[in-house]
């Protein structure tokens, strides 16, 4: 439903005025749950995929597709990290941290023996030094990366949104999708806490629409009652 029809595509491409092109895209996206905008205030449209971009969706030049809730393109896994695999990417970092810590802990006693001169085999010395160095190096690197992504999850942001805040109808807002710490975790890991540490798909939503802080505040019954009280107070004023 985010792909434009052939007739709309011809109408869009034959139009040379940018303001009219924005109006055409706005008409097409009128019934779609699209709330983010471009810097100029227009509907986000991908010329390569010929589709209206859902919120938090971006085009990956390496994969040549639009990725839902794209975070970044990871060369280590040779794939884009987005809505469909972001939980698995976080678990991959956590499992790797534990594995590096396990290797460093089990090799450390042999490093002590090497330091005290108890290891006489030259080949085993190289293995001990190599394993300990690689395990510690990867542990430190992954620790910073995992900590950064934990901070992103707590703020409900992607790496792209951390560098460039999403633009809404009222302007850019870096906290536009921030629903609070608990709800932000549930967006990625789901409501079932027993599934959080398991490689099972449990993320909320379908990747096309995400709850926003502005909409949640607008739908807050307390705020709605407050506006209603203000309206009632205005209506009760004498004419």
């Amino acid at each position: 439903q985010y792909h434009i029809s052939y007739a709309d595509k011809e109408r869009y491409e034959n139009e040379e005025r940018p303001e009219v092109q924005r109006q055409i895209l706005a008409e097409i996206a009128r019934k779609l749950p699209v709330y983010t905008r471009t810097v100029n205030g227009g509907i986000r449209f991908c010329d390569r995929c010929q589709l209206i971009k859902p919120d938090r969706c971006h085009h990956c030049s390496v994969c040549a597709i639009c990725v839902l809730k794209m975070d970044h393109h990871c060369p280590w896994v040779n794939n884009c990290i987005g809505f469909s695999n972001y939980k698995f990417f976080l678990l991959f970092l956590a499992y790797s941290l534990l594995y590096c810590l396990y290797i460093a802990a089990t090799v450390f006693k042999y490093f002590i023996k090497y330091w005290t001169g108890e290891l006489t085999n030259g080949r085993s010395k190289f293995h001990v030094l190599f394993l300990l160095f690689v395990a510690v190096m990867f542990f430190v690197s992954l620790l910073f990366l995992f900590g950064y992504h934990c901070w992103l999850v707590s703020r409900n942001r992607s790496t792209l949104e951390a560098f460039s805040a999403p633009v809404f109808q009222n302007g850019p807002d870096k906290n536009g999708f921030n629903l609070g710490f608990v709800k932000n975790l549930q967006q990625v890991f789901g409501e079932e806490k027993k599934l959080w540490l398991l490689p099972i798909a449990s993320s909320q939503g379908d990747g096309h629409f995400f709850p926003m802080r502005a909409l949640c505040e607008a739908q807050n019954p307390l705020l709605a009652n407050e506006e209603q009280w203000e309206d009632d107070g205005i209506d009760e004023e004498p004419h």
Side-chain angles (χ1 to χ4, degrees):
Q1 58 181 344
Y2 288 87
H3 283 272
I4 63 175
S5 62
Y6 182 78
D8 292 332
K9 177 183 177 181
E10 282 192 340
R11 188 159 61 101
Y12 175 80
E13 293 180 349
N14 293 333
E15 183 59 52
E16 298 180 355
R17 292 169 295 180
E19 60 277 4
V20 180
Q21 288 182 340
R22 288 197 295 266
Q23 293 178 0
I24 295 174
L25 293 178
E27 293 176 0
I28 301 173
R30 184 176 302 171
K31 297 182 180 180
L32 297 176
V34 177
Y35 296 94
T36 54
R37 299 290 186 267
T38 62
V39 180
N40 298 327
I43 299 295
R44 299 169 63 245
F45 179 73
C46 181
D47 293 327
R48 297 182 179 179
C49 298
Q50 294 296 314
L51 58 82
I52 296 175
K53 294 181 180 179
D55 291 343
R56 314 183 80 176
C57 175
H58 296 276
H59 184 86
C60 177
S61 58
V62 180
C63 298
I65 57 172
C66 284
V67 181
L68 296 176
K69 193 188 175 182
M70 180 178 175
D71 188 89
H72 69 285
H73 182 86
C74 181
W76 294 95
V77 299
N78 193 27
N79 197 3
C80 273
I81 306 302
F83 172 79
S84 60
N85 58 358
Y86 188 61
K87 175 190 174 182
F88 304 118
F89 175 73
L90 293 176
L91 293 180
F92 166 70
L93 295 179
Y95 297 160
S96 301
L97 276 173
L98 294 177
Y99 185 59
C100 291
L101 184 62
Y102 171 77
I103 293 178
T106 53
V107 174
F108 186 72
K109 65 177 182 179
Y110 298 101
F111 176 75
I112 297 298
K113 291 182 179 181
Y114 162 76
W115 191 263
T116 56
E118 297 182 17
L119 289 178
T120 57
N121 191 350
R123 184 175 299 178
S124 62
K125 292 180 181 180
F126 171 77
H127 291 167
V128 168
L129 291 177
F130 178 78
L131 278 177
L132 185 64
F133 173 76
V134 171
V136 173
M137 181 185 66
F138 272 92
F139 178 81
V140 174
S141 302
L142 291 173
L143 184 63
F144 282 102
L145 182 61
F146 182 69
Y148 175 69
H149 279 280
C150 288
W151 178 80
L152 291 177
V153 171
S154 65
R155 298 293 190 273
N156 201 354
R157 301 177 192 169
S158 64
T159 302
L160 296 178
E161 293 170 351
F163 287 96
S164 179
V167 181
F168 298 89
Q169 294 180 357
N170 297 328
D173 185 6
K174 61 182 180 180
N175 294 318
F177 297 101
N178 191 354
L179 306 176
F181 181 75
V182 177
K183 291 185 178 180
N184 292 340
L185 289 179
Q186 292 177 352
Q187 284 286 307
V188 178
F189 296 98
E191 296 181 357
E192 295 289 338
K193 293 183 179 180
K194 60 183 179 181
L195 301 178
W196 283 12
L197 299 180
L198 299 178
I200 299 175
S202 59
S203 301
Q204 293 182 344
D206 57 356
H208 297 89
F209 171 77
F210 298 90
M212 292 176 290
R213 180 172 58 89
L215 290 181
C216 293
E217 292 177 354
Q219 296 174 356
N220 191 334
L222 295 178
L223 297 178
N225 291 335
E226 183 179 353
E227 294 177 356
Q228 184 178 1
W229 293 337
E230 292 178 357
D231 294 339
D232 294 341
I234 294 176
D235 294 336
E236 292 177 358
E237 293 180 358
H239 296 285

